[in-house]
Amino acid sequence: MHSDALVASFLRTRSTDLELLDGEQLDPNELRTNLREMAMLNRLPGGVGDSVRAVDRLLDGKADASVLDIGTGGGDFVRRLARSRAAHVIAADVSAEVVEIARRNLADTKDVTVLQADVLALPLANAEVEVTHSSMLIHHLEPAEVVRALREMRRVARLGIVVNDLRRGPLALAVTAATVLALTRGAYTRHDGVLSARRAYTLPELDELATEAGLRAVWRTWSFWPRVTTVYR
């Protein structure tokens, strides 16, 4: 079988291997290195810049907006959004260790609330924020969890949700692996970065799960890029 066909066959089924970041115990040094390296990778095309533009598209000039960033990591999106517009942002992550790092990173960022929260059961009221955003979160979840997560993100958002994540495919895997292995040194980043491209959903798979959650895609960045941002309503 031709090598391209082998890769395509290998990626036909989504990997269910666990990422190191999803382990029960995290190495503090590796975690800090991972979040620093993710902040650097997030500055590349397809990263937080696309997320901010997608959120701005939903807000459509609305003042005094509120945004939930679920799976905030080191708070890279929150800091970038704060430079772009005035908004109250809730920065949330399921990991207590990550929340503490985000709280330190965002200490000087105005109008931000940092809290520990699970995307599968958000501690927010219905329609509490205008927009819910997630970046590099959905591929960590299994299909049934993705539907639950999207329903929760939809429940708390008045206008819509933004999903920024990798897509599964041969080109996406090749570009992601080359970028991660060339630019990073942390064990978590190098292991999980490549595995993330195998755990990611194809865009048709993601849209099907979104439809099941009661959402429809209304805008999307370039669909051939390894990392794609989608606006759902």
Side-chain angles (χ1 to χ4, degrees), residues 42-215:
N42 275 333
R43 291 193 290 270
L44 298 177
V48 295
D50 281 354
S51 286
V52 169
R53 284 186 285 274
V55 169
D56 281 339
R57 176 177 287 264
L58 273 174
L59 293 176
D60 193 24
K62 178 178 173 56
D64 301 322
S66 55
V67 177
L68 168 66
D69 180 34
I70 183 67
T72 196
D76 315 319
F77 164 78
V78 178
R79 285 181 290 188
R80 179 68 174 270
L81 184 67
R83 294 200 299 269
S84 171
R85 62 174 302 127
H88 173 66
V89 183
I90 302 171
D93 203 284
V94 71
S95 165
E97 297 97 327
V98 172
V99 165
E100 286 307 308
I101 294 172
R103 186 170 282 117
R104 290 196 296 270
N105 289 349
L106 297 170
D108 296 328
T109 304
K110 290 183 178 180
D111 211 7
V112 175
T113 301
V114 182
L115 59 83
Q116 185 176 359
D118 187 342
V119 69
L120 301 180
L122 294 171
L124 276 69
N126 293 348
E128 185 166 335
V129 298
E130 265 79 38
V131 175
T132 306
H133 165 267
S134 75
S135 177
M136 301 297 282
L137 170 66
I138 293 298
H139 71 265
H140 287 271
L141 307 175
E142 297 307 311
E145 294 174 322
V146 172
V147 175
R148 287 177 58 194
L150 293 177
R151 283 175 177 161
E152 277 291 274
M153 293 171 70
R154 174 192 174 204
R155 178 183 66 79
V156 303
R158 288 187 286 273
L159 299 178
I161 74 173
V162 172
V163 174
N164 180 327
D165 216 309
L166 296 168
R167 65 174 184 87
R168 195 172 76 253
L171 176 61
L173 175 62
V175 173
T176 300
T179 302
V180 168
L181 296 179
L183 298 181
T184 70
R185 294 293 178 266
Y188 283 7
T189 316
R190 291 170 70 86
H191 176 273
D192 288 3
V194 177
L195 179 56
S196 292
R198 295 175 49 222
R199 284 188 56 90
Y201 293 90
T202 65
L203 296 180
E205 288 171 348
L206 180 60
D207 286 347
E208 184 176 348
L209 295 171
T211 298
E212 190 175 344
L215 295 161

Side-chain angles (χ1 to χ4, degrees), residues 18-26 187-189 191-192 195:
L18 290 180
E19 297 184 38
L20 296 177
L21 279 174
D22 292 325
E24 292 184 2
Q25 292 185 328
L26 299 177
Y188 283 7
T189 316
H191 176 273
D192 288 3
L195 179 56

